[in-house]
Amino acid sequence: MRDSYLSYAIKLIKEGKFLDLFKQIYKFFAIPISHSLNKSFCGPIHGILAVNYDCNQRCKMCDLFNRPLEYKRKNIDKLNTNEMLKIIDDFAYIGTSGIGFTGGEPILRKDIYELIIYAKSRGLFTHMSSNGMEINLDVAKKLINAGLDAISFSLDGATEATHDFIRGVNGSFRKVINAVQSCKKARKELGKGFVIISVCVINGKNIDEVIDLVDVAIEAGVDKVSFSPVHDIGSMKKDRETLNDLRVDKETLDKVAKVVEKLIEIKKKRKIIDNNIAYLKLFRRAFENKDLPFPCYAGYVTIGVDAYGNIFPCFGWMETNHKIGNIRNISLREFWVSNGIKEARKAIKKCRACYWNNQTELTLAFSLKNLFRTR
């Protein structure tokens, strides 16, 4: 996703939108200062909008699909379209660079196209995370015409057996490959389109397939391949039996070092790997369940809202359901400058719990000293 935002910056230059480009450049100076002074001088880079928690997969490292039933029992409804549009307005108002539509599986939300169109009308970069189960050529064209700038597909194995096992649904490997191919075909037919990315959560089950997965993803038609390490956060509790097959044991740690080294080699030669090298070098630490070695920038570079109005500083806290507010009580634009987020940011600086790819890479991007510490 890092390169997706970079391509967006290049697009701004080509379109002559230099004021918008200046606003993004300004953030690279304003965010570190904001983090140091515990006061926001600009909007976040990445706005997270979890449009639902409904999902048609049952991944072993996630239990977000359980939340709709939990909220139903509490008689709490999802936000309607107008409420979602208001949140997008607020993302734009506070100066967010882009919105990542996520879930659950966001394509299951019927008004998703309307939300993307509106986000684009407000000048926001738009990205979607999908499992690919529902995306065919027609859906891909609708997403492109809605203005989606980038789409990420979860691809967790180089083989059908491994991917389907991790994602918990038979046939899901074939569907995600078909989804990527449909997006590539739609892009060709329309003469325009989004960046296509595959995302893999590296774990003990797929560690031997990671390098082959790069080739599988390229052959399917992706532009970039991204990786993230499996680690205990959020729904990933150490007593969950479903995670036993995904954990990286001591014997596998040596494989991690070799795989990371190979990924770095591929990145230097082919530029297909979306991750930052400094981030890749953190993977062994993540697999060892060690704390992140530097302060997190969540709450400055990221802010998120879910389908029930809950506000989170990052996706990691969304995974743990660690709410810091709700837009039904206070608007996002008001919360961004409130005492509530100031207190949350103090706690976030002490948080070292996650190595979520976008969050950690954004933290690295805005702190040069962190970049050097991971080399």
Side-chain angles (χ1 to χ4, degrees):
M1 192 170 172
R2 291 166 56 90
D3 286 351
S4 299
Y5 274 98
L6 178 59
S7 66
Y8 182 60
I10 294 172
K11 183 179 179 181
L12 292 177
I13 295 174
K14 291 180 178 179
E15 295 176 352
K17 297 179 180 180
F18 298 109
L19 178 58
D20 290 337
L21 180 64
F22 172 78
K23 291 178 181 178
Q24 304 311 315
I25 295 174
Y26 166 75
K27 290 184 179 181
F28 280 89
F29 299 95
I31 287 176
I33 295 173
S34 299
H35 188 265
S36 297
L37 301 180
N38 198 37
K39 182 179 180 181
S40 180
F41 292 101
C42 66
I45 296 291
H46 184 49
I48 306 159
L49 189 55
V51 297
N52 61 8
Y53 288 123
D54 303 294
C55 192
N56 44 17
Q57 291 191 343
R58 294 295 181 265
C59 303
K60 292 187 177 299
M61 58 280 197
C62 177
D63 65 356
L64 292 179
F65 56 82
N66 288 321
R67 291 195 187 172
L69 181 58
E70 294 173 10
Y71 282 108
K72 185 176 181 179
R73 287 170 177 167
K74 296 176 182 178
N75 292 318
I76 300 175
D77 296 326
K78 294 179 188 173
L79 300 178
N80 60 35
T81 301
N82 288 334
E83 289 172 313
M84 281 288 183
L85 295 178
K86 179 62 170 61
I87 294 171
I88 293 172
D89 269 332
D90 283 359
F91 272 125
Y93 180 87
I94 66 176
T96 311
S97 299
I99 290 181
F101 293 95
T102 186
E105 171 51 46
I107 206 69
L108 295 177
R109 182 159 177 137
K110 294 181 179 180
D111 60 0
I112 187 63
Y113 305 107
E114 182 178 352
L115 299 181
I116 295 169
I117 291 170
Y118 191 71
K120 288 302 299 180
S121 75
R122 295 307 315 271
L124 294 162
F125 175 87
T126 55
H127 171 270
M128 176 187 286
S129 298
S130 174
N131 58 35
M133 295 285 286
E134 302 293 327
I135 295 185
N136 53 30
L137 182 61
D138 181 57
V139 171
K141 287 182 177 180
K142 288 181 179 179
L143 290 172
I144 290 174
N145 287 327
L148 192 66
D149 292 298
I151 187 166
S152 294
F153 291 109
S154 299
L155 182 60
D156 284 324
T159 64
E160 185 173 349
T162 298
H163 175 87
D164 289 2
F165 174 81
I166 294 172
R167 307 304 294 185
V169 177
N170 292 333
S172 59
F173 178 82
R174 294 181 182 179
K175 287 196 173 184
V176 71
I177 295 297
N178 288 338
V180 172
Q181 293 172 342
S182 294
C183 287
K184 187 177 181 181
K185 184 177 181 181
R187 197 166 61 177
K188 182 177 181 180
E189 290 185 7
L190 295 176
K192 61 180 181 179
F194 36 56
V195 178
I196 305 171
I197 308 162
S198 68
V199 181
C200 170
V201 178
I202 299 178
N203 57 71
K205 183 68 175 179
N206 64 17
I207 187 70
D208 293 323
E209 298 183 15
V210 169
I211 304 306
D212 289 338
L213 184 146
V214 175
D215 292 327
V216 170
I218 293 172
E219 185 178 349
V222 305
D223 302 304
K224 294 288 180 180
V225 183
S226 181
F227 295 93
S228 184
V230 70
H231 55 291
D232 290 316
I233 181 175
S235 58
M236 297 184 57
K237 303 301 183 184
K238 293 183 179 180
D239 59 351
R240 280 189 64 195
E241 292 183 3
T242 56
L243 290 171
N244 290 342
D245 290 315
L246 303 189
R247 300 191 191 285
V248 174
D249 55 29
K250 292 182 180 179
E251 295 180 0
T252 312
L253 281 174
D254 289 336
K255 290 184 180 181
V256 172
K258 293 178 181 179
V259 166
V260 168
E261 183 179 345
K262 183 62 177 178
L263 290 177
I264 292 173
E265 181 183 331
I266 294 172
K267 179 178 177 66
K268 289 179 177 178
K269 289 181 178 180
R270 303 168 69 181
K271 306 297 183 183
I272 190 71
I273 307 298
D274 192 44
N275 305 107
N276 180 274
I277 291 176
Y279 173 64
L280 292 172
K281 290 182 176 181
L282 289 170
F283 279 26
R284 178 167 183 136
R285 187 182 186 92
F287 289 132
E288 292 174 333
N289 287 318
K290 292 182 178 179
D291 290 345
L292 193 71
F294 42 76
C296 183
Y297 274 57
Y300 294 98
V301 295
T302 53
I303 191 75
V305 182
D306 74 3
Y308 299 90
N310 299 308
I311 302 173
F312 306 90
C314 60
F315 191 78
W317 281 30
M318 188 177 289
E319 282 269 356
T320 60
N321 210 16
H322 192 158
K323 313 174 189 71
I324 58 175
N326 191 291
I327 62 98
R328 284 168 168 158
N329 300 320
I330 180 172
S331 69
L332 181 62
R333 68 176 66 189
E334 293 172 324
F335 189 78
W336 185 250
V337 293
S338 69
N339 288 328
I341 196 168
K342 289 178 181 178
E343 291 303 312
R345 286 168 178 159
K346 291 178 182 178
I348 291 163
K349 285 184 179 181
K350 300 176 183 178
C351 181
R352 303 286 192 278
C354 94
Y355 289 80
W356 182 57
N357 53 356
N358 290 333
Q359 188 63 60
T360 305
E361 293 209 53
L362 282 172
T363 292
L364 284 166
F366 285 94
S367 180
L368 289 177
K369 65 179 181 179
N370 291 341
L371 184 63
F372 289 116
R373 285 174 65 179
T374 57
R375 289 192 180 279

